[in-house]
Amino acid sequence: MVGGRRAALTVVLSIVGAVSCASATGDHGQALAPISSEARSAQPTSAPQQALPESLRAACGHPGAQAVLTAVPITAPKAQCDLTGVVVLYGSTGVTVPSEGGVEADADGISSSVEFGANVDPATGDVTFSGSQS
C-alpha cells in the first residue's frame, strides 16, 4: 500500500514539476521549458543539440545563480539557455557570463593551476566555456 502511494505521489510531483517548468517565464519574457537530451522527434536535425549539464540547466534565465562545470569545452546555445549574469565555476575558479564579449580567469595554486573562460558569440549569443586544469 505504501509503495503504491509513493509511486502515485512521484507521478503527481513529476507532472506538477513539468507543468511548472513549462509555464515559467524568464526575465526576457521567453518561456522556459525543460531541456532533455532525448530526441524530440524521429526527424534528423542538421546539428544535434548538445546536452547541457544539470547545473547549467538549473541556472538558465537566473542572473546571479551559480553553476558548476566538471568538463569543458562546452557551448550553451542562448536559444536553449540564457546564462547572462550567471556565475559559472570550473575547478577553483569561476566567471560571470557577460552579455557580450568574453571573460577569462586564472587560478594558480601550489600544485595546480586552472584556466577558465566564457566567450559569447556576438551573432547568436551562444556561450562557449573553455579551460584547462594542470
Side-chain angles (χ1 to χ4, degrees), residues 27-94:
D27 292 336
H28 305 289
Q30 298 172 343
L32 298 177
I35 298 172
S36 173
S37 60
E38 298 175 12
R40 295 188 188 256
S41 71
Q43 302 288 335
T45 59
S46 59
Q49 287 189 356
Q50 181 179 14
L52 295 178
E54 176 59 34
S55 64
L56 285 182
R57 289 192 312 243
C60 293
H62 300 288
Q66 284 191 356
V68 177
L69 292 178
T70 57
V72 291
I74 186 168
T75 299
K78 186 166 186 170
Q80 188 178 4
C81 179
D82 183 2
L83 293 170
T84 305
V86 172
V87 177
V88 181
L89 307 169
Y90 175 68
S92 59
T93 190

Side-chain angles (χ1 to χ4, degrees), residues 96-104 117-123 125-128:
T96 300
V97 177
S99 59
E100 59 185 44
V103 62
E104 302 289 328
N119 291 301
V120 180
D121 183 293
D126 297 354
V127 182
T128 300

Side-chain angles (χ1 to χ4, degrees), residues 97-125:
V97 177
S99 59
E100 59 185 44
V103 62
E104 302 289 328
D106 297 310
D108 292 321
I110 293 173
S111 63
S112 67
S113 65
V114 178
E115 295 178 7
F116 180 54
N119 291 301
V120 180
D121 183 293
T124 64

